[in-house]
Amino acid sequence: MSDSILITGGAGFLGRYLAQFYAEKHWDVTVLDDLSCPNSTFDCQPLQHPRIRKVHGSIFDTELMQELVQAHQYISHMASVVGVAETIDNPLDTARNITGTIALAAMVTEDHVVIFGCLGLRGVQAQVRDLDHLVDLLRDLAIDQHGLHPCQSS
């Protein structure tokens, strides 16, 4: 488990560029997405890098998640209900999504570095100027028990 990252919700707007960033830094990247959001797709330029593995699946698939979590030290959890209006209009979907986050949190060990980047804010898309700016935004939201964020330059 080194130099690899699992990105849940990785086929969405933010996840795909985060995946590209890590792949270009020579990390092995696994993108997990159920493709349930209208803008989520594996058929986009940022996810075509040879170091990116695309998995069509759900954070609610416990067996799949256990396999992926065990294979990756770094996890960026981007799978979320997108948009404030969506969370208000569909509270049951929002609650269900939270159970997926809780299940993921229960699977990780002290050896994992987990970035809970469940942004769920459409406004972030408009604020992102470029890839470096996106990484800065995600770094600001990172939860890292080890004092090192994988987006930092070495």
Side-chain angles (χ1 to χ4, degrees):
M1 277 196 320
S2 64
D3 291 345
S4 68
I5 186 167
L6 167 64
I7 304 173
T8 66
F13 177 80
L14 297 175
R16 69 180 69 148
Y17 291 103
L18 186 62
Q20 179 184 34
F21 172 84
Y22 282 109
E24 289 175 354
K25 298 290 184 187
H26 306 288
W27 285 57
D28 293 319
V29 179
T30 300
V31 168
L32 173 73
D33 206 299
D34 65 4
L35 304 177
S36 61
C37 291
N39 74 332
S40 295
T41 180
F42 290 137
D43 189 27
C44 59
Q45 187 278 327
L47 295 181
Q48 302 314 307
H49 195 284
R51 297 188 76 99
I52 298 174
R53 172 183 169 216
K54 299 170 281 281
V55 177
H56 187 192
S58 171
I59 62 170
F60 302 111
D61 182 337
T62 303
E63 186 176 317
L64 175 62
M65 284 301 296
Q66 287 174 338
E67 172 190 326
L68 294 174
V69 167
Q70 288 175 3
H72 298 84
Q73 179 182 8
Y74 293 93
I75 301 167
S76 179
H77 181 51
M78 306 285 289
S80 67
V81 176
V82 178
V84 174
E86 185 71 21
T87 61
I88 292 169
D89 293 344
N90 299 296
L92 293 179
D93 288 342
T94 302
R96 183 172 180 258
N97 184 264
I98 292 168
T99 64
T101 300
I102 292 168
L104 170 61
M107 291 179 197
V108 299
T109 68
E110 62 186 29
D111 295 327
H112 286 97
V113 177
V114 182
I115 305 158
F116 287 94
C118 311
L119 300 176
L121 300 173
R122 290 185 191 275
V124 170
Q125 294 181 14
Q127 295 173 15
V128 174
R129 294 185 300 271
D130 55 33
L131 187 57
D132 290 332
H133 184 232
L134 170 61
V135 171
D136 289 341
L137 287 172
L138 293 172
R139 184 182 299 128
D140 290 344
L141 295 170
I143 296 173
D144 182 351
Q145 302 282 330
H146 301 278
L148 172 67
H149 186 279
C151 287
Q152 290 176 335
S153 303
S154 49

